[in-house]
Amino acid sequence: MDAVRVALLREVLAGTEWLGATRHFAGTLRGSVVSHGGGLLLVGTPEYEPWHLAAHLVDEAAWSGTPELVPTLVRHDARPTDPAHLAVGLGRLEAARRGETLLVVAPGEPPAALLERASDARRAGATLLSLGPEAGELPALAHEVLPVPDGSELDLDTVQHLVSAAAGENALPARRGRRRFRDRLSRLADLLTAPPPTRW
């Protein structure tokens, strides 16, 4: 989903709770990773890997100048022969520590093994965010939850688009005072000469 479609979707959702909820969740995500200098781990379930969200966060990180938003996609069936960005397995969650953020995306209650690793990561000091189930063990463990219950107006994929877009657009802090023309020109040059985002 491109920026134009996200903008149209936001128009359709004006007046609903979704816009505020997704922006709040994105703000929590952004605040967590930016304040700690990065360290975003993104994991789904064996049946549902959020690779699409990972790709959008990479894009938003590049467009917003916020490299901290680039996630490490943790996969259930990662193999050493996979490309580097797809070869990170669940063992990475065991190494999660204070200052890192773990975002679990699941259409329902995750398996017990993932819940145990998420709980261990939280105990080790990682910030735990949950996108998906409204009730159950995962939302009870998480520091912040954005529920996407079955039968809601939006599906999990659409909510992920709204979250990633909001995370990127809110990434640049407001500067105090007037910016000089040279500063604005330098920022534009940086954006135009940045390498293209990695494709998943």
Side-chain angles (χ1 to χ4, degrees), residues 4 9 39-40 47 61 101 121 125 132 151 158 166 171-172:
V4 173
L9 178 60
L40 173 58
E47 299 78 25
T101 301
T158 303
L172 294 175

Side-chain angles (χ1 to χ4, degrees), residues 132-173:
E134 184 174 29
E137 230 180 299
L138 178 60
L141 279 173
H143 292 96
E144 186 77 31
V145 178
L146 179 56
V148 186
D150 285 338
S152 62
E153 306 88 3
L154 300 180
D155 62 15
L156 187 57
D157 289 337
T158 303
V159 172
Q160 289 175 70
H161 283 291
L162 291 170
V163 168
S164 62
E169 76 181 7
N170 295 320
L172 294 175

Side-chain angles (χ1 to χ4, degrees), residues 68-116:
E68 298 89 351
L69 284 174
V70 174
T72 296
L73 180 61
V74 179
R75 301 178 63 228
H76 290 262
D77 62 350
R79 296 176 301 274
T81 56
D82 290 335
H85 66 286
L86 298 175
V88 179
L90 290 177
R92 177 61 181 87
L93 299 184
E94 295 167 10
R97 295 291 176 257
R98 181 173 307 284
E100 293 186 302
T101 301
L102 172 58
L103 172 54
V104 180
V105 181
E109 184 74 0
L114 178 56
L115 288 170
E116 184 178 333

